Each structure stands twice: as C-alpha cells, then as structure tokens.
Amino acid sequence: MRIYPVFLLALLLVACAAPRLAAADDGGGPYVYIANQLDAAVTVVDMTTNEVAATVDLEALGFSANAKPHHIAVEPDGSHWYVSLIGDGRVVKFNRANEVVATASVESPGMLALDPTTDLLYVGRSMSAVNPPPSIGIVERSTMDADEIDIFFARPHALVVSGDLGQVYAASLVENRVGSLDTAEESLELLTLDGPIHTLVQFAIAPDGQTMVGTGQLTGQVLFFDLADPANPTVSGVVDLGGMPWHPVYSPDGSRIYVPNQGTDSVTILDATTREVVATVEGRG
C-alpha cells in the first residue's frame, strides 16, 4: 500500500520522524506513526518509501477493542515511541521494533508532549472524556511512573513543551484559558483570551522558540502567541481560516505552518512571517 504526500500532511497531528542514524540501524525509516482511533491500531509508515512498514494491533497485544489510540510522541533518537489510549486509560511505551516496553496509568489521556531535555512526558486529557480532572499528567519515561499537576481549568487538551524555554503550555477546550507551566519550578501562570470560546485544540512552537500558534476549532482561527516572555505568552495576531483547524505543525526551517482543517478535509499552508495563506491542499480525510 503506497502512502502519498497529501495523506501524510493530513496526518501531521501524529507525525514524527527519527533521525537518519537510528533509521540506518535497522534498515528502515525514518517513520511516521499514525493512531487509528476507531480500529485500536497504529500504522507505521516508512518515510523513505512512503509505504506502510507495520500495523500495530493493540488488541493482539492485550489492550481492549475500545483502546482508542489518540496521540503519539517519539524519542528524539527514534529508540522508543509512546501512544495515549483514551479508552484504556494508559500511556504505552514501545521500542523501535514496536514491542511493548511498559505502560503508565493516566486518566483520560489525550495529547502527548515529550520534553527532549528531561526524562518527562506530559499528558493532556481527551476531549471525549466525560469529566476529566483539571490537571495534566507527568510520566517519567525511563520508569513510566506517573503523577499529575493541577492546571486549574477545565478540560486541558492543547499541549506543547519547549525544553529550551523551560515551559509547558496547555489550554482548555471549554474556557479561553491558557496555562504556562515552568518545568523547573512547577509554577503556573494563566492567560485569559478575549472573544468567544475558541476551543483550542493544539499548539505548535516555532523552531526559533519566539512564536507559538494555537488552533481554535469553534472560531476557525489560528492564534499567534509572542513568547518573548516565555512564562507570559501574549496574543500577537489572528488568522481566520474557518473549517475547524486542528493540529498545526511548523516546517523544520520555521518558514511554513501546516494546519489541517477537520471541517473541510484540507490542509492550509501559512507563511510564518507574513501569516498569509500560501496554499490549500485538499483531499479526502
């Protein structure tokens, strides 16, 4: 089965590539890991060939048919990857051979954010959870021991970490609240956004660490945040896209922002400097 580039763009929410050195060790990769939430499976795509390299059947590994794999994070060296299972209340650690290494118990896990400068993996809450706690999970990747830290707003979902800035940013699905967590001090600053409820789905930080973007599902907006003061992000601009924008991704050089739009089966490409639409890629799914 061949996977084409447009398909990969549409699945950027779970895309992560291991470096070439790690790929050379086993003759494959780098890989994209795709969570198939309704099928209790993860598809592994070889980015060199754009072909499916493996399908990880979670039921066959002892997880439930309702495991609902949601989001994936990958170690910088490609040695391990992690997936949140909404239905099973677990974050699962796999090795590069797609074997289960360990699991952590986390209530209603959603988005994952891996800090490459520490041993920590941060875990948001699923948007499908009935009444998730107002906190985010913290998992030590080496031991898979789990804890949590209060975030003081309902339904924390959008989640991103910057080891260089020493901050974790989270946002509520039902309130216009953004939390900035100092990873060293575990101190929290809260920002209240203006306007109607955005339902912030996900964040992405520019490679230079100066700007963060967040996507508002209900307002159809991409919000730009200035990170000059990392503990206190400020809104520096808004782009109206419509179409329920979801999980934004910066290009490696920071010049482009790719925004998949759930409501219109499209991916919008933004110029990160001018904040103008460069192109729209359309296709099923």
Side-chain angles (χ1 to χ4, degrees):
M1 177 180 180
R2 189 163 183 80
I3 308 297
Y4 291 92
V6 170
F7 178 76
L8 293 180
L9 284 174
L11 289 161
L12 283 172
L13 71 160
V14 292
C16 187
R20 293 178 182 175
L21 180 61
D25 290 342
D26 65 356
Y31 297 119
V32 177
Y33 297 88
I34 303 166
N36 304 305
Q37 188 163 306
L38 297 181
D39 290 337
V42 175
T43 302
V44 184
V45 175
D46 188 318
M47 293 180 66
T48 302
T49 62
N50 282 349
E51 295 179 345
V52 173
T55 300
V56 181
D57 185 337
L58 294 170
E59 279 193 82
L61 294 174
F63 301 99
S64 76
N66 192 45
K68 295 184 178 179
H70 184 66
H71 197 230
I72 292 166
V74 185
E75 291 286 353
D77 65 359
S79 60
H80 296 88
W81 56 276
Y82 308 82
V83 59
S84 56
L85 305 184
I86 298 171
D88 287 358
R90 293 285 188 273
V91 174
V92 186
K93 180 178 182 177
F94 287 84
N95 61 21
R96 192 167 173 78
N98 303 323
E99 300 166 327
V100 175
V101 175
T103 68
S105 178
V106 180
E107 182 177 350
S108 305
M111 303 303 294
L112 302 178
L114 184 149
D115 186 349
T117 66
T118 71
D119 187 36
L120 298 181
L121 177 72
Y122 296 89
V123 187
R125 306 296 180 179
S126 165
M127 65 170 57
S128 64
V130 176
N131 188 29
S135 60
I136 58 175
I138 303 177
V139 177
E140 293 184 8
R141 305 198 303 274
S142 58
T143 64
M144 293 301 285
D145 291 336
D147 201 350
E148 60 183 41
I149 185 167
D150 291 334
I151 207 77
F152 301 112
F153 51 70
R155 294 189 172 275
H157 186 269
L159 188 69
V160 70
V161 60
S162 172
D164 293 336
L165 298 178
Q167 300 290 138
V168 175
Y169 300 99
S172 171
L173 285 173
V174 295
E175 306 174 37
N176 278 349
R177 304 296 295 276
V178 175
S180 176
L181 175 69
D182 185 303
T183 58
E185 302 295 331
E186 293 192 355
S187 59
L188 180 70
E189 299 290 339
L190 295 176
L191 167 68
T192 300
L193 304 177
D194 295 330
I197 299 299
H198 291 284
T199 301
L200 290 174
V201 176
Q202 182 58 323
F203 291 129
I205 297 177
D208 65 6
Q210 299 300 303
T211 306
M212 178 173 70
V213 294
T215 48
Q217 177 178 337
L218 294 186
T219 57
Q221 294 179 332
V222 176
L223 288 78
F224 287 78
F225 296 84
D226 188 323
L227 300 180
D229 179 359
N232 295 282
T234 57
V235 177
S236 61
V238 173
V239 175
D240 290 301
L241 291 185
M244 302 169 64
W246 267 37
H247 298 202
V249 177
Y250 273 91
S251 62
D253 65 1
S255 65
R256 297 286 188 266
I257 306 167
Y258 299 89
V259 185
N261 305 298
Q262 187 204 30
T264 56
D265 283 344
S266 66
V267 177
T268 299
I269 304 173
L270 295 174
D271 184 300
T273 301
T274 65
R275 301 180 181 178
E276 296 177 346
V277 175
V278 174
T280 300
V281 180
E282 297 181 343
R284 293 186 302 114

